[in-house]
Amino acid sequence: MVNAAPAVYRCGLTDSSRWREFQLRPDDIVISVPSKCGTTWMQMICALLIFQTPDLPTALTTLSPWLDMFLRPIADVTRTLDAQQHRRFIKTHTPLDGLPQLPGVVYVVVGRDPRDVAVSMAYHRPNLDDKVIHRLLASGDQAPTDPPTKPERPASTRERVLRWIDDPRPATENLDSLRTVVHHLGQAWERRNEPAVILLHHADLSRDLAGQMRRLADRLGIHVPRKQWPALIEAATFTSMRAKAHQLAPDERLGLFTSNSAFFRSGKPGQWREVLNDADLAAYDSLIRSLANPDFVDWAENGTHSS
């Protein structure tokens, strides 16, 4: 699939136009995942498959930088990636239509129940260190013309979740809402049978981590010796990753979080049951079914369909 004029997503901390400054290699892995759908988890899994050891050579954000996050100069990010000799795996929250397309490049997308995404985001945002972000915005020259503005944050988790669900802005203006997650995952769903697109789901990874890791290795053409698998699978568990929060948290080595360990607060499915009432869920169901077809909604909420 050729995308001669990628869409531009310039919102939050993302500026997808930065991809114009980067040269892909034919064997690159682009990890294109909406926020809080398992981006760091997939980065870790790819790192384990590529290096085939739980002991990574350096911090995960150095091995797999967030290319379109404008708090780091793009020249710094591209210099890091250009120097890498291993198979590269690059983080982005940009949907597929905003990314350059090159034959041989594989695009890995991970879905998650949008209700759990909403709850995870409600806990994630208060953990961001606004002082650090504001300082970086003020000192850098990489920010968009209109820096992101943060509306007053609702006090309760439920209110924050409902705001995320109801946000009407399009993906080009905001990448963190129900509509934009449907937009991002929907593109991958439509392309799920293409060899270049690997579509996974957070629920499937939770239910069968070993099987999903093996499936991904096969799709990426990576051979893992049988004796290596147990250690790699264990290193990809949520418990093991939380224990290495200092090395794995996606703060781009900028100190973006007040607590790195809090980033790995909970990876369990069904968190939304503790937050949303029946009326909330009915409104959510009506909205998501107005945005997408039933087969996609079923997969987005439950996983299990393979690509």
Side-chain angles (χ1 to χ4, degrees):
M1 179 177 179
V2 176
N3 189 352
V8 175
Y9 295 87
R10 189 176 288 115
C11 48
L13 298 179
T14 290
D15 181 0
S16 68
S17 68
R18 287 161 58 100
W19 283 93
R20 300 170 187 165
E21 309 298 320
F22 176 65
Q23 183 63 51
L24 282 164
R25 297 173 186 167
D27 67 344
D28 280 341
I29 301 166
V30 177
I31 300 171
S32 168
V33 181
S35 295
K36 310 313 295 178
C37 283
T39 316
T40 305
W41 199 2
M42 188 48 53
Q43 288 175 281
M44 181 60 169
I45 290 171
C46 287
L48 292 167
L49 295 178
I50 289 168
F51 293 102
Q52 303 199 358
T53 174
D55 300 316
L56 302 183
T58 188
L60 187 59
T61 55
T62 298
L63 296 171
S64 178
W66 181 4
L67 188 142
D68 36 23
M69 194 274 287
F70 59 72
L71 294 182
R72 285 182 63 190
I74 185 60
D76 177 29
V77 178
T78 57
R79 185 164 48 248
T80 296
L81 288 167
D82 288 345
Q84 291 180 350
Q85 299 301 308
H86 59 78
R87 188 173 183 183
R88 302 185 303 186
F89 52 113
I90 305 150
K91 168 185 174 178
T92 181
H93 292 313
T94 296
L96 296 180
D97 68 346
L99 299 172
Q101 309 290 311
L102 183 73
V105 174
V106 177
Y107 302 83
V108 179
V109 183
V110 183
R112 189 181 186 187
D113 187 331
R115 296 163 294 186
D116 280 329
V117 178
V119 174
S120 185
M121 184 61 73
Y123 284 103
H124 170 73
R125 284 177 173 160
N127 190 38
L128 289 170
D129 193 325
D130 289 340
K131 292 181 179 178
V132 171
I133 293 174
H134 291 160
R135 173 174 54 79
L136 291 168
L137 285 172
S139 63
D141 58 1
Q142 300 294 317
T145 304
D146 298 315
T149 58
K150 297 183 71 173
E152 183 178 349
R153 184 180 293 131
S156 75
T157 301
R158 175 176 171 270
E159 289 174 316
R160 294 196 294 272
V161 168
L162 292 178
R163 174 177 285 186
W164 186 92
I165 290 172
D166 294 333
D167 194 320
R169 290 174 292 173
T172 51
E173 297 178 14
N174 172 47
L175 284 172
D176 294 324
S177 72
L178 174 62
R179 285 170 176 80
T180 56
V181 165
V182 170
H183 171 79
H184 191 147
L185 297 179
Q187 292 184 16
W189 173 262
E190 292 299 322
R191 295 181 57 186
R192 66 191 182 279
N193 294 320
E194 296 181 18
V197 176
I198 302 175
L199 184 59
L200 302 166
H201 198 282
H202 197 284
D204 295 325
L205 289 162
S206 298
R207 286 188 287 255
D208 181 19
L209 179 59
Q212 291 296 301
M213 287 180 66
R214 288 187 171 92
R215 174 184 164 229
L216 179 61
D218 287 344
R219 289 291 305 274
L220 294 174
I222 296 174
H223 172 70
V224 178
R226 187 173 182 178
K227 66 179 181 179
Q228 297 291 94
W229 276 115
L232 300 184
I233 294 165
E234 176 59 30
T237 63
F238 197 80
T239 299
S240 294
M241 290 184 64
R242 184 191 291 136
K244 292 185 175 181
H246 65 286
Q247 187 183 26
L248 302 180
D251 70 347
E252 306 308 305
R253 307 184 77 176
L254 296 172
L256 300 180
F257 298 117
T258 57
S259 168
N260 284 337
S261 60
F263 175 82
F264 297 97
R265 185 190 67 85
S266 174
K268 68 177 182 178
Q271 302 174 74
W272 51 268
R273 293 186 178 90
E274 303 168 3
V275 176
L276 300 174
N277 61 38
D278 289 345
D280 298 334
L281 291 170
Y284 154 84
D285 189 66
S286 177
L287 178 54
I288 193 171
R289 291 182 185 281
S290 74
L291 299 172
N293 68 60
D295 286 344
F296 170 81
V297 173
D298 177 61
W299 170 80
E301 294 181 347
N302 304 296
T304 72
H305 296 284
S306 60
S307 63

